[in-house]
Amino acid sequence: MTASVTDQLTPQQAGVRAHAVLDEIERAVVGKRSALELVMLGVLAGGHVLIEDLPGLGKTLLARSFSTVLGLDFRRIQFTPDLLPSDVTGAPFYDQRTGEMVFRPGPVFANLLLADEINRTPPKTQAALLEAMAEAQVSIDGVTRELPKPFVVIATDNPIEYEGTYALPEAQLDRFLLRVRMGYLPVADEAAMLRRRLDRSTPEAVLDRLSNPGEVLAMRAALERVEVNTDLVDYVVALIDATRRHAQIQVGASPRGGLALVQLARARAVMAGRDYVIPEDVKAVALPALAHRITLKPELWVRRISADDVIAGVVQSVPTPQTTPRTAPHTAQHTAPVPNPVGA
């Protein structure tokens, strides 16, 4: 069942459809439900996702599965040291038949772009994504061209190899709505994955298309109908402010971090079948939304204290509001487990 751009979905309907998408993707991506749910939160909240993890854990498969099931036009860029900005955005070329300069769109003109190993390309090419990620458009030769809607970037980053890589600048990290880590499969799930591969006799599972770009936009619009109590707004601001005053943090979260917390919390409420946000929604998404937005003091590296540890401490230190939704809770049409911040 699909929806056009003009169709309206309730938060509960959007949640049901989102879980149907995840159930289908799980046929290909085994044992990673929490990571899949976090990526789904990013898609619902209208942001971009950074997947930071070791090679071979299914990051590319995850991105391709989302594009297939959501019915989104998919492109992949393998970032390399010799990649040019025009290889990302496209460039004009001379058409000998017409004698005119014609623009040839780059792979960024897609609904879902997989930026594979984004830290392997120089900053100039990384920056080519900045305008696209922030404004959903690219400007070339003085002409601004809009990207398809929706536009989602899923970027992968290898955190253990440093030779021949370029660390993402803080400005670009801040463009990602959240960071996800997949981790190794538990032994039982890894065995199940191998059994599935043997049973189907094909390299990958064939997934069904359950949605389309119009429905994804309608699901995003449903988030605007999710209530956020004033106490929760104050709670989000308190968390952001705590990162700026923390003794171990050199640079705290930007205002964009607060916006990310609100939208991800709304998306989590939708996934839980609610049209209102509760404090647990904010707490659950705080780590994936904020850990990549802060800069720790240099001496913490020697002590092996990570940004995840510091953000977890911030969440524990800020008092949780005892808030009640302004409107009576509606009966949820679908209730399912929601993402846990652990391992995000």
Side-chain angles (χ1 to χ4, degrees), residues 214-238:
E215 182 172 84
V216 173
L217 294 175
M219 292 165 68
R220 286 182 173 182
L223 265 65
E224 300 304 319
R225 306 174 68 180
V226 176
E227 177 191 0
V228 183
N229 190 283
T230 301
D231 289 345
L232 288 176
V233 173
D234 294 339
Y235 179 50
V236 167
V237 173

Side-chain angles (χ1 to χ4, degrees), residues 28-300:
V29 184
V30 180
K32 298 294 181 183
R33 184 73 180 201
S34 60
L36 294 177
E37 288 176 332
L38 285 171
V39 175
M40 191 75 234
L41 293 185
V43 173
L44 290 175
H48 309 290
V49 180
L50 176 64
I51 304 179
E52 185 180 85
D53 221 320
L54 304 173
L57 297 183
K59 301 185 291 292
T60 301
L61 175 62
L62 180 149
R64 192 165 59 247
S65 298
F66 265 95
S67 69
T68 299
V69 180
L70 290 173
L72 302 179
D73 182 34
F74 177 73
R75 295 289 185 276
R76 176 180 179 270
I77 304 175
Q78 180 64 51
F79 280 81
T80 57
D82 60 349
L83 196 72
L84 300 174
S86 58
D87 296 328
V88 176
T89 61
F93 74 101
Y94 180 73
D95 189 339
Q96 293 182 341
R97 293 174 299 178
T98 63
E100 297 178 350
M101 297 297 293
V102 179
F103 178 72
R104 176 177 292 166
V108 75
F109 285 86
N111 294 125
L112 196 155
L113 174 67
L114 172 61
D116 211 356
E117 295 189 298
I118 191 173
N119 60 328
R120 287 197 176 277
T121 202
K124 184 176 182 179
T125 305
Q126 292 175 2
L129 276 178
L130 279 176
E131 181 186 13
M133 293 172 63
E135 308 294 339
Q137 65 183 29
V138 295
S139 298
I140 300 174
D141 289 344
V143 179
T144 298
R145 294 176 171 86
E146 291 190 1
L147 299 177
K149 296 181 180 179
F151 174 65
V152 180
V153 173
I154 295 180
T156 69
D157 184 357
N158 186 340
I160 63 169
E161 295 183 18
Y162 298 104
E163 185 175 354
T165 64
Y166 305 83
L168 291 176
E170 286 75 8
Q172 187 160 339
L173 280 173
D174 203 33
R175 302 288 181 182
F176 288 100
L177 193 69
L178 75 165
R179 184 192 64 191
V180 179
R181 289 177 177 155
M182 299 181 68
Y184 288 115
L185 283 170
V187 173
D189 288 334
E190 191 158 1
M193 178 196 68
L194 296 177
R195 284 194 295 268
R196 288 190 189 186
R197 169 62 182 90
L198 294 171
D199 291 342
R200 67 173 177 261
S201 300
T202 57
E204 294 181 8
V206 178
L207 301 179
D208 295 329
R209 173 179 172 174
L210 301 183
S211 187
N212 59 40
E215 182 172 84
V216 173
L217 294 175
M219 292 165 68
R220 286 182 173 182
L223 265 65
E224 300 304 319
R225 306 174 68 180
V226 176
E227 177 191 0
V228 183
N229 190 283
T230 301
D231 289 345
L232 288 176
V233 173
D234 294 339
Y235 179 50
V236 167
V237 173
L239 287 172
I240 298 299
D241 183 62
T243 68
R244 299 167 184 167
R245 295 184 293 103
H246 198 283
Q248 296 176 317
I249 298 178
Q250 185 168 290
V251 180
S254 70
R256 192 180 284 117
L259 293 171
L261 271 182
V262 170
Q263 286 303 98
L264 287 171
R266 285 172 130 185
R268 189 179 188 271
V270 165
M271 293 285 290
R274 288 184 271 104
D275 59 3
Y276 58 93
V277 173
I278 60 177
E280 285 68 24
D281 293 326
V282 178
K283 295 171 73 171
V285 299
L287 193 138
L290 297 181
H292 64 291
R293 300 177 190 272
I294 65 171
T295 302
L296 299 182
K297 293 187 175 179
E299 61 268 20
L300 296 183

